[in-house]
Amino acid sequence: MPPSSSASTRTRPVSNGDATLLDRPIWSALTTSHKHLAEGGPRALRYPVDVTPFADMVDMSETSFAALRDLLSGSQVAALFTPEAVDVPAGFKVVLAGPCEQMIGSPADNPLRDAEIVRLGAADVPAMMALTELTKPGPFARRTHELGTFLGIRAGGELVAMAGERMKPGNFVEMTAVCVHPDHRGRGYAQALLAAVARQIEARGEIPFLHVFSSNSSAIALYQRQGMWIRRSLHVTAFMKQE
């Protein structure tokens, strides 16, 4: 169901796919399309630490928290996306907690005149990590690119913009790491990359979505102008063991 022409933040239904998978996107991904990457057991699962810090539990019981704790070592962080705020028990230290918006839809095409979109691979990981460290679009580790296709734009041989795919709950694919070097903003790179990633997702018969912190009003407005809409709010909670 496409959004109306005016920007709107009200929730809209999804016309196809099992949208309930998006209510717990990490758990859903680790028990469907990314099952081969899942570490843990029936009560708690996580991605490999060098892929992403994302994790989730079957419920919020003490037993499940204990199972998740057993998966963490040292200063490793578990980051959860959940429908409700997480009441983190004693024995953990919260490092991030806040609301985000889950947006879905098909971003409009945005052709570029002066730049070429290229596919990124393992050889580009140092440049990808440098760009994400500079722009802070969210967690990005040395194996994050293995979660899906990543696209980028180079200028003078330097990677200056990128976007790609991350969580895959069922028939849905999360768009992520949408970032542009500060010296190259205002040229439509983010919009073009978002659209290009969405096209490749849709070409496989899948549905694009993304997450953005609720406080990032400019990004939310950009995505709405691109034709996306807010499906629902979620809570992001990241914590580590406290010895």
Side-chain angles (χ1 to χ4, degrees), residues 121-191:
D124 300 297
V125 168
M128 297 166 79
M129 294 189 69
L131 182 60
T132 54
E133 178 62 28
L134 176 66
T135 57
K136 309 293 185 185
F140 193 92
R142 66 181 182 86
R143 291 181 57 206
T144 301
H145 72 286
E146 295 178 15
L147 293 175
T149 302
F150 279 79
L151 304 177
I153 295 172
R154 296 190 181 97
E158 178 187 10
L159 182 66
V160 298
M162 63 177 258
E165 304 171 356
R166 190 167 56 184
M167 285 186 280
K168 296 186 177 183
N171 198 42
F172 298 89
V173 180
E174 181 196 27
M175 299 185 290
T176 187
V178 183
C179 54
V180 181
H181 191 288
D183 295 341
H184 295 267
R185 291 174 181 167
R187 305 180 189 186
Y189 289 173
Q191 297 96 315

Side-chain angles (χ1 to χ4, degrees), residues 20 25 36 40 55 59 63 71 73 104 106 116 130-131 139 158 164 172 196 218 230 237:
T20 59
H36 63 288
D59 57 32
T63 305
L71 295 177
S73 62
I104 195 166
S106 181
E116 177 186 4
L131 182 60
E158 178 187 10
F172 298 89
S218 60
I230 293 174
T237 312

Side-chain angles (χ1 to χ4, degrees), residues 43 57-68 87 89 92:
R43 302 212 66 87
M57 299 170 289
V58 69
D59 57 32
M60 295 295 151
S61 66
E62 291 184 9
T63 305
S64 294
F65 270 103
L68 180 56
D87 185 12
F92 293 97

